[in-house]
Amino acid sequence: MHFSIPETETRPGEGGNGAYVLRKEYGANVVPAFPPKKIFTLTPAEVEQRREQLEKYMQAVRQDHLLGGSEIFNSFLRKAQQETQQIPTEEVQLEVLLSNGQKVKVNILTSDQTEDVLEAVASKLDLPEDLIGYFHLFLVREAKDGAFSFIRKLQEFELPYVSVTSLHNPDYKILLRKSYWDSAYDDDVMEQQVGLNLLYAQTVADIEQGWILASKEQHRQLKSLQEKVSKKEFIRLAQTLKYYGYLKFDPCITDFPEKGCHVIVGAGNSELNFQVKLPNDQIKEGSFKVTRMRCWRVTSSVPVNNGTSGPTAGKSEVKLELAFEYLMSKDRLQWVTITSPQAIMLSICLQSMVDELMVKKSGGSIRKMFRRRANGALQRSDSQQAVKSPPLLDSPDANRESIAKVSSKLSSVSLRAISHSSSSTDIRANDFHGNFAFEGIGDEDL
């Protein structure tokens, strides 16, 4: 989970007690220390420092399995969304898109969380309850050609109505799409007609926008199956095609195999697929398996202006980066960085791939992964309990060559929500997402 506090405002006479309630409920030894307040008026630099401290505090609380799922914390997040956007609790109609462009309108409350809205959509579609966990809601941006750019997977504490309306842009939509990666789960979904229809619509859309590759002969076969309305056979054929089940991202920049390369990233099949355009216009393709990623992190940064950053530096566009440490060979780890506005979505994809792998490894069922709330608190099934957030790893050796490479890359920006240190080599352990699915490999496996 990634939190950002992009703006600040002074509100005298107001104060929250959320941190105090957390400490009272769970104890000071469990809850991170809340950033201390100052009595006197803060300078712009101190406001920026406190903003960063609050971001880190929120991140630390959310990463704790007990605290992050508590009703106290999630209630705070729900209220914060409504209060920030000044949206009262009332009944509204929300429009949710399906992959084929069909619109599903549901009556909800502005205070309804993602799970509530998902259940409302499922009810409207007559999707069986035991299939709800196979689907999820995503915040997307619709392009002029009708293609969708994925912003993020809506989190359990989010209020979908608030999330989409607060953007004040009709191009942003909420989309229903399958939430799993392993195509073996398609069989479960296709057992029910509504599930089959949803999966079929998504598969057709992915093929039409070029996410799934097919030859002329395969396109002919697919068209024939469409005309016969043979949905299961259509999906079966699509499962054999390249990039079936992948989520494609907008063109972005990577430093692999060399700095400044343009790349199209696809997420699926427990990997990130790179289609890289080299400086000589040559196209190279390769994949990074999630089981070989030791850890990853998302950073947001702003350009440094005249040696300053923060409020005094003027407004600059925030740059998002996803960096992961990859086992290139038996004894060589290397950092690979992707610079993209969709970095957070990429991180969410990696985490969900790891979660799914761990559920399968523990013998759990994806049918039981759908979260339920009891008395407002988020609950996980037995299979999900085995997929607790991985421990944050120790920071890699700062003297290692791969770290030096990343450090030199980050030295030209001021990191936000990551570290207060001005040192470009200050890469802390708490900034990393550890990977339980990381597997050591030998040279013969590469």
Side-chain angles (χ1 to χ4, degrees):
M1 180 54 55
H2 308 276
F3 287 95
S4 175
I5 304 175
E7 299 177 355
T8 59
E9 64 175 287
T10 303
R11 305 182 72 174
E14 296 187 17
N17 62 353
Y20 170 76
V21 175
L22 275 176
R23 292 173 72 87
K24 183 179 179 180
E25 180 73 19
Y26 297 101
N29 59 328
V30 175
V31 182
F34 190 76
K37 294 183 179 181
K38 293 187 177 181
I39 299 176
F40 303 104
T41 302
L42 301 180
T43 64
E46 289 173 330
V47 170
E48 172 67 7
Q49 183 185 49
R50 180 157 180 78
R51 184 195 65 76
E52 292 181 348
Q53 290 173 343
L54 290 171
E55 280 185 343
K56 290 178 75 83
Y57 174 80
M58 295 284 288
Q59 193 76 37
V61 172
R62 185 66 184 92
Q63 286 175 343
D64 185 279
H65 183 69
L66 179 64
L67 303 178
S70 69
E71 170 58 13
I72 297 173
F73 185 63
N74 283 277
S75 175
F76 162 76
L77 292 175
R78 293 195 300 270
K79 292 177 181 177
Q81 292 171 76
Q82 286 188 273
E83 291 177 359
T84 300
Q85 301 301 327
Q86 298 181 336
I87 297 178
T89 297
E90 58 185 358
E91 187 172 323
V92 293
Q93 189 175 75
L94 181 65
E95 191 174 270
V96 176
L97 292 182
L98 304 184
S99 297
N100 60 1
Q102 179 183 340
K103 299 175 181 178
V104 179
K105 296 181 179 180
V106 291
N107 294 319
I108 62 166
L109 295 175
T110 55
S111 58
D112 280 345
Q113 295 177 240
T114 299
E115 180 187 311
D116 302 316
V117 177
L118 181 57
E119 287 183 327
V121 174
S123 176
K124 194 72 176 283
L125 294 172
D126 290 326
L127 181 68
E129 184 176 336
D130 63 343
L131 291 186
I132 296 178
Y134 290 83
F135 295 89
H136 205 85
L137 300 176
F138 296 83
L139 179 65
V140 300
R141 185 167 187 170
E142 187 174 15
K144 292 181 179 179
D145 61 0
F148 295 118
S149 175
F150 283 73
I151 308 302
R152 68 176 180 272
K153 181 179 181 179
L154 294 180
Q155 301 302 298
E156 66 271 9
F157 61 81
E158 277 195 78
L159 313 184
Y161 177 83
V162 175
S163 293
V164 71
T165 57
S166 64
L167 295 169
H168 305 293
N169 187 331
D171 292 338
Y172 287 97
K173 317 278 187 180
I174 293 177
L175 176 75
L176 180 72
R177 185 180 172 89
K178 72 177 186 180
S179 61
Y180 59 90
W181 300 98
D182 191 339
S183 61
Y185 293 125
D186 288 347
D187 291 341
D188 296 341
V189 175
M190 291 191 291
E191 288 176 1
Q192 302 285 345
Q193 186 62 45
V194 177
L196 173 60
N197 293 340
L198 290 172
L199 185 58
Y200 174 75
Q202 178 179 314
T203 305
V204 171
D206 287 356
I207 291 173
E208 289 179 345
Q209 62 185 344
W211 283 15
I212 300 174
L213 299 185
S215 65
K216 288 184 178 180
E217 174 59 23
Q218 289 167 334
H219 271 295
R220 187 194 66 76
Q221 295 175 28
L222 289 167
K223 185 177 181 181
S224 175
L225 291 172
Q226 274 187 285
E227 291 173 349
K228 297 176 183 177
V229 198
S230 301
K231 296 182 180 180
K232 282 190 178 181
E233 291 75 10
F234 183 95
I235 293 171
R236 295 293 185 206
L237 176 55
Q239 288 173 335
T240 67
L241 303 180
K242 193 172 185 179
Y243 303 135
Y244 174 80
Y246 280 65
L247 216 126
K248 288 297 182 81
F249 292 83
D250 298 337
C252 52
I253 304 295
T254 182
D255 63 355
F256 185 89
E258 52 187 287
K259 187 176 180 180
C261 289
H262 291 266
V263 62
I264 294 179
V265 180
N269 194 29
S270 300
E271 67 181 21
L272 291 184
N273 175 268
F274 275 32
Q275 297 178 42
V276 181
K277 183 178 182 181
L278 301 176
N280 62 3
D281 290 336
Q282 185 180 7
I283 303 297
K284 291 282 189 179
E285 181 178 351
S287 295
F288 296 91
K289 291 291 184 181
V290 69
T291 50
R292 298 182 189 177
M293 296 179 188
R294 194 184 83 98
C295 58
W296 70 86
R297 62 183 277 168
V298 171
T299 59
S300 57
S301 59
V302 291
V304 175
N305 297 319
N306 299 322
T308 62
S309 63
T312 59
K315 287 192 175 181
S316 300
E317 184 176 350
V318 175
K319 180 173 69 174
L320 289 174
E321 291 184 337
L322 171 79
F324 57 88
E325 193 179 29
Y326 195 76
L327 190 61
M328 295 291 183
S329 60
K330 186 175 181 180
D331 300 311
R332 185 169 72 92
L333 285 160
Q334 178 179 332
W335 281 93
V336 177
T337 301
I338 302 168
T339 303
S340 167
Q342 296 173 293
I344 291 176
M345 183 62 193
L346 279 163
S347 177
I348 291 173
C349 287
L350 290 178
Q351 186 61 60
S352 61
M353 286 180 191
V354 171
D355 287 347
E356 191 170 303
L357 286 172
M358 297 308 296
V359 164
K360 291 179 67 177
K361 189 174 181 179
S362 66
S365 170
I366 196 172
R367 283 183 182 273
K368 301 176 182 178
M369 286 185 69
F370 184 52
R371 296 179 181 183
R372 292 282 179 188
R373 287 199 305 273
N375 299 321
L378 290 167
Q379 301 294 314
R380 295 171 181 259
S381 66
D382 292 339
S383 62
Q384 266 198 310
Q385 292 290 354
V387 194
K388 296 179 181 178
S389 298
L392 297 173
L393 302 181
D394 292 335
S395 176
D397 186 352
N399 296 320
R400 193 188 302 164
E401 181 181 353
S402 59
I403 288 293
K405 180 179 179 182
V406 175
S407 298
S408 62
K409 181 177 179 63
L410 298 180
S411 61
S412 62
V413 301
S414 171
L415 296 183
R416 300 164 67 103
I418 295 297
S419 171
H420 304 309
S421 172
S422 59
S423 170
S424 62
T425 58
D426 185 12
I427 303 178
R428 300 184 178 182
N430 287 341
D431 304 331
F432 290 81
H433 294 269
N435 181 7
F436 265 150
F438 177 71
E439 299 173 353
I441 57 173
D443 291 327
E444 66 276 5
D445 298 320
L446 296 171

